[in-house]
Amino acid sequence: MAGGRCGPRLTALLAAWVAAAAAAAEEEAVLEHIPLPAERSMVLPMTASNWTLVMEGEWMLKFYAPWCPSCQQTDSEWEAFAKNGELLHISVGKVDVIQEPGLSGRFFVTTLPAFFHAKDGIFRRYRGPGIYEDLQNYILEKKWQSVEPLTGWKSPASLTMSGMAGLFSISGKIWHLHNYFTVTLGIPAWCSYVFFIIATLIFGLLMGLVLVLISECFYMPFPRNSSDGPEQSRQSDEAHGAEQLQDAEDEKDDSNEDENKDSLGDDEEEKEDLGDEDVRSLLPALYPLRSTLNKML
């Protein structure tokens, strides 16, 4: 009886143990396929809405593109540099030029990857290799002090670069729209080009209309009435006649002055001739006086 009762119990315990082992093995298999959580990055993504954070404190920025092989080679070095940002008292950020074309225009990025150093709103271009050791020495030894800062219109915070950022943003939106037409909707590329050409023409016409309306608001022409036409023409004729009379009088005065000058010149010449003749007439009378003086001496 006892042996018969223990047999089913042992069987049940053995079955429970097998089930528990199978469940544990299945749970381990599931856990193996679950990816571990990624380590939190210390690099701050910069966008058009938060880029003004670099105006305060000390920053290092990296401009990159996901498809750029050179950018991918410096990713690990940049992450290691960001992890030591607290020790170096510096913040580290990155800018995706595909997602943020406005920021690439604001900093006038023409090559990738591009690195910038910012200290209290003063920006400098870092042209090193982008490896961890060089970046760390650049901050610790303050090598950035020997680099010429981006001042004046070249500064990312200037009005000129703000306009450049707007142009780059517009070009980026046009590029995304072109990809939406050609990739998502499957429209041929030439149709997209035709659309942009027509849109450009319409936009130019609208801008011209706006400029004309603005000029009309600032420049108000004087009203012209038809009844004022004869009066204005009569006044213009009188003014023209008065000018002609004045010119004639001026010419007459000039001619009189010329005649007076000529007459004065003739009188002076006549006086000179008369003086010469008087001297010549006195010479015969002086000859006897001269001979008498000679005899007396």
Side-chain angles (χ1 to χ4, degrees), residues 174-193 196:
I174 293 175
W175 182 78
H176 285 296
L177 187 60
H178 174 72
N179 286 341
Y180 176 75
F181 287 158
T182 56
V183 178
T184 305
L185 300 181
I187 297 176
W190 67 269
C191 293
S192 178
Y193 296 149
F196 285 115

Side-chain angles (χ1 to χ4, degrees), residues 19-238:
E26 184 178 358
E27 185 177 358
E28 289 179 359
V30 172
L31 291 175
E32 288 178 356
H33 291 84
I34 296 177
L36 295 176
E39 187 178 359
R40 188 174 67 90
S41 175
M42 300 300 294
V43 180
L44 179 64
M46 307 303 295
T47 63
S49 59
N50 68 349
W51 82 271
T52 53
L53 294 174
V54 302
M55 301 296 292
E56 298 179 357
E58 191 171 7
W59 284 77
M60 284 293 291
L61 295 178
K62 173 187 174 182
F63 287 80
Y64 73 99
W67 47 263
C68 175
S70 300
C71 301
Q72 296 172 3
Q73 292 176 0
T74 59
D75 285 344
S76 59
E77 301 285 344
W78 197 250
E79 290 290 341
F81 176 64
K83 290 178 181 178
N84 293 328
E86 295 182 358
L87 298 176
L88 299 173
H89 302 287
I90 190 172
S91 301
V92 181
K94 61 180 180 179
V95 180
D96 185 352
V97 297
I98 302 300
Q99 299 297 328
E100 299 294 335
L103 284 181
S104 64
R106 184 178 293 277
F107 286 80
F108 203 68
V109 175
T110 56
T111 58
L112 294 175
F115 304 94
F116 288 87
H117 173 268
K119 176 69 173 178
D120 296 329
I122 300 177
F123 298 87
R124 293 174 173 85
R125 182 74 179 264
Y126 168 77
R127 301 185 182 276
I131 60 178
Y132 171 72
E133 291 80 5
D134 192 77
L135 291 168
Q136 186 176 11
N137 294 332
Y138 186 79
I139 300 302
L140 291 176
E141 299 177 8
K142 296 185 178 181
K143 294 182 179 180
W144 49 268
Q145 292 181 348
S146 61
V147 180
E148 183 180 359
L150 301 176
T151 57
W153 66 271
K154 295 181 181 179
S155 175
S158 65
L159 183 62
T160 305
M161 287 301 154
S162 297
M164 189 69 70
L167 292 177
F168 273 64
S169 297
I170 293 174
S171 64
K173 292 178 181 178
I174 293 175
W175 182 78
H176 285 296
L177 187 60
H178 174 72
N179 286 341
Y180 176 75
F181 287 158
T182 56
V183 178
T184 305
L185 300 181
I187 297 176
W190 67 269
C191 293
S192 178
Y193 296 149
V194 170
F195 169 79
F196 285 115
I197 291 172
I198 295 174
T200 303
L201 294 175
I202 294 174
F203 180 76
L205 293 175
L206 292 177
M207 289 299 295
L209 179 61
V210 170
L211 292 176
V212 170
L213 293 177
I214 292 174
S215 64
E216 288 292 335
C217 292
F218 284 98
Y219 173 73
M220 299 297 294
F222 294 102
R224 296 181 178 180
N225 297 327
S226 59
S227 60
D228 295 339
E231 182 68 20
Q232 291 179 355
S233 61
R234 184 178 63 80
Q235 291 178 358
S236 63
D237 293 339
E238 291 179 356

